[in-house]
Amino acid sequence: MKKTMDRRQFLKKLSIISLPALFSFGSLGMSLESCGGSSSGVGSTNGDMTSDRILFGLGNDPIKIMYTDPAGQQVYNALKPDILCAWLNGGRNTSTNAIYSTIDYFLQWEQNDYLQSWSDKGIDLMIITWENYNGQNPALGGPTYGDYHISSLFLQDIQTLCNMLKGYKGNVYFALATEQSTYTSCRYNNNTCSSNYENVVNQTTEEYFSKLRANILIAFDIIVASLPNAYYGISFGGWLATYQQGRNFIKYFDNVINKSNFIFFQSMLDKTMQENNGFGNPQQIIVNLNFFKQYNKNVGVSHYMPHNQRADVVTSDMNYMASTSYIQTIKALNLKVFCFMYYGLLKNNPYGDLVATQNFRAKLK
């Protein structure tokens, strides 16, 4: 969910020189394969979707958005999202050293009849999985070192969610192990955190990523067996597609991508494009879509938001992405879903970010 800004800045500097050709609009084809909301029915297991709309998602806490935060309800009513997005996170109990998860949050959906209400309204749901690999979130206890996503607990949680969602009337999306290339950062050398163990599969890190790859494939099997009409895929860090080592990392998961019916990635750059030599979130999204088109899959932005939560960056990004040429480009490159990570950043419309997001969201229809 969060990474150090130093590493992100390093990667941007590493790759910026080679990027302009990758996000040039002029060289793109316009073959539109597309997506439909819940009104058109859930797609088949090959991931085909049937309209040229891009569905808009809003997170990260559907209960607050819909019920307990009046400002969240205002954001929801302003944006009228197609998808509610929520996070299943792995943590570590600092007393017992045991891995645990936030599955209880989702069980509230069923216990309080939220799920039935959303189902009856045809609201789509996205579940994004992540873990507190380096202990950055104290609310999730200590560092997991990547252990949650290679555990049997992760698979049990996926099965629990699938059981809970059987019969759900809207589309269901699973964006699994988001930003997984970072999970090994503190795993080796006596749990000393180092960028040497991130974003690369090598003799040291392959022991982890081979286990992760295998567990994600099992998770897919669980989803297909329980929810055959669900959409599912792995969720990559958006920075990976911007430089060669990152692209090589993605290719290690080709068998996972090939078995999925969706590819997800995030985009959380902190600066406006004007502050970063013309390369911001809008350009990073195009670079990713250009890279992932080789797989001929539906693609989704699983979580967008400046990591530093700068509302002015949101406004700048949204104003740029609302242009007709940009919308045509992302549709041509098969973007089906765009999810805004944290609704709280839009409360009270700082720097006009809610209005700008409203305008972008309207252009997706």
Side-chain angles (χ1 to χ4, degrees), residues 48-325:
D48 289 338
M49 302 176 83
T50 56
S51 93
D52 67 353
R53 292 180 61 212
I54 297 173
L55 302 186
F56 184 87
L58 184 65
N60 60 332
D61 189 334
I63 295 176
K64 285 185 178 178
I65 292 169
M66 299 297 285
Y67 303 110
T68 64
D69 183 355
Q73 295 169 40
Q74 291 171 9
V75 172
Y76 178 87
N77 290 333
L79 294 174
K80 295 181 175 58
D82 304 290
I83 308 169
L84 288 174
C85 307
W87 290 65
L88 172 65
N89 295 320
R92 187 181 297 277
N93 186 309
T94 53
S95 298
T96 65
N97 204 38
I99 292 293
Y100 71 93
S101 75
T102 57
I103 191 68
D104 285 350
Y105 172 80
F106 294 89
L107 297 178
Q108 294 178 58
W109 293 4
E110 193 169 36
Q111 294 162 359
N112 293 287
D113 293 327
Y114 301 149
L115 200 61
Q116 187 63 54
S117 174
W118 301 338
S119 179
D120 290 343
K121 293 175 181 176
I123 297 172
D124 294 353
L125 297 174
M126 178 180 288
I127 296 162
I128 303 157
T129 73
W130 180 81
E131 64 180 279
N132 197 30
Y133 60 94
N134 62 357
Q136 67 188 252
N137 186 347
L140 293 171
T144 62
Y145 308 118
D147 287 341
Y148 172 63
H149 278 90
I150 61 172
S151 71
S152 60
L153 176 61
F154 169 66
L155 299 177
Q156 292 168 21
D157 287 344
I158 295 298
Q159 185 66 73
T160 296
L161 290 169
C162 288
N163 292 343
M164 198 176 77
L165 291 166
K166 283 181 180 177
Y168 190 80
K169 295 174 185 175
N171 292 335
V172 178
Y173 302 82
F174 291 89
L176 300 183
T178 194
E179 302 179 347
Q180 71 298 117
S181 66
T182 62
Y183 293 177
T184 49
S185 63
C186 306
R187 188 175 178 86
Y188 306 105
N189 194 22
N190 296 318
N191 303 134
T192 299
C193 298
S194 170
S195 60
N196 292 333
Y197 306 126
E198 294 182 331
N199 309 311
V200 63
V201 180
N202 59 24
Q203 289 182 337
T204 301
T205 63
E206 188 169 13
E207 67 83 20
Y208 177 77
F209 289 119
S210 63
K211 294 173 186 175
L212 177 64
R213 191 169 56 179
N215 234 29
I216 295 294
L217 290 171
I218 296 171
F220 287 172
D221 288 339
I222 292 170
I223 293 167
V224 171
S226 303
L227 299 174
N229 293 323
Y231 297 115
Y232 52 93
I234 193 168
S235 176
F236 293 102
W239 64 89
L240 292 171
T242 68
Y243 70 120
Q244 190 58 52
Q245 179 179 299
R247 293 189 287 270
N248 292 343
F249 178 91
I250 292 170
K251 296 295 287 182
Y252 181 80
F253 288 87
D254 271 2
N255 62 337
V256 172
I257 295 172
N258 291 335
K259 189 171 180 178
S260 70
N261 60 17
F262 237 94
I263 303 170
F264 297 99
F265 65 92
Q266 54 85 286
S267 193
M268 297 181 68
L269 298 180
D270 289 335
K271 295 182 179 181
T272 66
M273 49 189 288
Q274 294 82 3
E275 294 171 326
N276 197 48
N277 299 315
F279 189 80
N281 286 299
Q283 290 73 34
Q284 180 167 264
I285 288 168
I286 296 295
V287 169
N288 275 267
L289 292 174
N290 267 311
F291 176 76
F292 287 122
K293 69 182 179 182
Q294 67 186 286
Y295 294 100
N296 195 29
K297 300 277 183 177
N298 292 319
V299 186
V301 176
S302 52
H303 47 112
Y304 157 85
M305 184 184 73
H307 174 260
N308 57 8
Q309 298 191 28
R310 276 179 53 186
D312 63 317
V313 175
V314 173
T315 303
S316 174
D317 288 347
M318 292 297 168
N319 285 338
Y320 184 86
M321 293 191 297
S323 72
T324 299
S325 61

